[in-house]
């Protein structure tokens, strides 16, 4: 059974700092997703990572995938308050399974 | 990009009644759609996979007779919560895979409150 673990589950950080969210998964998959969710809203797609070594960047967010280690990271560079949200990773086996989410709170 | 809509966005119903939630793919066809439930401050839990032209596939622990799914066409799936109870109050989100299958498009969600 595919399991997806994210850590940390909660992160409070100062503006301007860098931090990384980790996503480990238990079985082989070559599709990993990162989503953002704002309170009361649905999911916003951030990245789709399809192959080992894939790296994608959008603004202050950068995601990477290591399929051999079954690990993806979401790196935040010079955080700003607008990035406060909950971030989910999800892995596509025969169905998409979500991690528990990381609630990111960026202090001004 | 592809758009998935849900209706209604919010619904309040009394305990014991049934509620239907619609999920539509607006500019693409979806032979498969997924239904998720999200409780406050928790992750999305897959409830079932809706298949056009055949029965839905339910995840373990999800009652088929309580959560009725009908995939009536290539652009519409419905979830009916029958005999709703307060513990069914949740945020229900549907999704559909894009044509390349690598992308998932999520609906805006339906917030159900059962009083």
């Amino acid at each position: 059974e595919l399991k997806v673990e994210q850590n940390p589950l909660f992160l409070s950080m100062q503006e301007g700092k860098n931090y990384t969210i980790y996503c480990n998964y238990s079985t082989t998959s070559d599709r990993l997703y990162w989503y953002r969710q704002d309170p009361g809203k649905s999911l916003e797609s951030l990245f789709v990572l399809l192959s080992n070594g894939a790296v994608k960047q959008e603004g202050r967010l950068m995601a990477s995938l290591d399929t051999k280690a079954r690990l993806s990271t979401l790196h935040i560079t010079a955080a700003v308050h607008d990035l406060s949200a909950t971030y989910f990773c999800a892995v596509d086996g025969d169905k998409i399974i979500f991690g528990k989410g990381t609630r990111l709170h960026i202090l001004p | 990009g592809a758009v998935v809509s849900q209706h209604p966005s919010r619904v309040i119903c009394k305990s014991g009644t049934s509620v239907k939630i619609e999920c539509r793919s607006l500019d693409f066809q979806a032979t498969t759609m997924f239904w998720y439930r999200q409780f406050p401050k928790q992750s999305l839990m897959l409830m079932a996979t809706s298949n056009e032209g055949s029965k839905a596939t339910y995840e373990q622990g999800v009652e088929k007779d309580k959560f009725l799914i009908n995939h009536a066409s290539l652009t519409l799936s419905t979830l009916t919560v029958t005999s709703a109870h307060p513990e069914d109050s949740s945020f229900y989100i549907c999704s559909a895979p894009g044509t390349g299958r690598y992308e998932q498009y999520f609906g805006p969600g339906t917030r159900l409150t059962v009083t």
Side-chain angles (χ1 to χ4, degrees):
Chain A
E1 180 187 341
L2 174 60
K3 293 185 179 179
V4 181
E5 292 187 1
Q6 261 182 263
N7 70 84
L9 298 182
F10 183 79
L11 178 58
S12 181
M13 55 193 291
Q14 296 283 339
E15 275 193 330
K17 300 292 186 182
N18 304 331
Y19 211 81
T20 301
I21 301 170
Y22 298 88
C23 177
N24 289 91
Y25 54 99
S26 61
T27 63
T28 302
S29 174
D30 56 3
R31 286 191 290 278
L32 188 136
Y33 307 88
W34 283 97
Y35 296 97
R36 167 179 173 151
Q37 186 178 38
D38 291 298
K41 304 289 187 181
S42 187
L43 301 182
E44 173 190 351
S45 179
L46 296 175
F47 301 107
V48 181
L49 302 171
L50 299 176
S51 61
N52 187 42
V55 177
K56 290 193 174 180
Q57 183 165 3
E58 182 71 35
R60 300 175 187 273
L61 301 178
M62 183 175 70
S64 66
L65 178 62
D66 181 344
T67 58
K68 293 180 181 178
R70 297 177 185 167
L71 170 67
S72 179
T73 62
L74 179 66
H75 187 73
I76 303 155
T77 302
V80 293
H81 181 66
D82 286 352
L83 290 179
S84 296
T86 299
Y87 293 85
F88 291 97
C89 67
V91 178
D92 195 347
D94 57 348
K95 53 194 175 187
I96 295 180
I97 303 298
F98 283 80
K100 290 187 176 181
T102 298
R103 292 177 60 201
L104 178 62
H105 182 50
I106 299 172
L107 304 171
Chain B
V3 176
V4 173
S5 70
Q6 279 184 245
H7 177 80
S9 58
R10 289 178 177 270
V11 58
I12 301 173
C13 71
K14 292 186 176 181
S15 187
T17 62
S18 295
V19 174
K20 180 185 285 188
I21 302 170
E22 294 184 347
C23 177
R24 293 181 184 273
S25 56
L26 295 184
D27 52 0
F28 66 104
Q29 294 181 336
T31 56
T32 301
M33 291 183 176
F34 302 94
W35 287 97
Y36 296 86
R37 179 168 54 182
Q38 185 180 33
F39 292 110
K41 293 184 170 52
Q42 294 189 23
S43 186
L44 278 74
M45 297 300 298
L46 180 65
M47 298 176 66
T49 302
S50 173
N51 304 299
E52 191 271 335
S54 64
K55 292 182 180 180
T57 305
Y58 290 82
E59 294 301 303
Q60 192 172 11
V62 177
E63 299 176 57
K64 301 178 183 181
D65 294 334
K66 181 168 184 60
F67 298 99
L68 301 180
I69 290 174
N70 182 19
H71 201 130
S73 73
L74 289 172
T75 60
L76 173 63
S77 175
T78 60
L79 168 67
T80 301
V81 183
T82 63
S83 187
H85 288 96
E87 56 265 32
D88 298 324
S89 299
S90 189
F91 193 44
Y92 291 86
I93 305 175
C94 68
S95 75
T99 52
R101 206 200 176 272
Y102 295 137
E103 190 62 84
Q104 280 288 332
Y105 299 104
F106 285 83
T110 297
R111 187 161 304 282
L112 170 64
T113 303
V114 184
T115 60

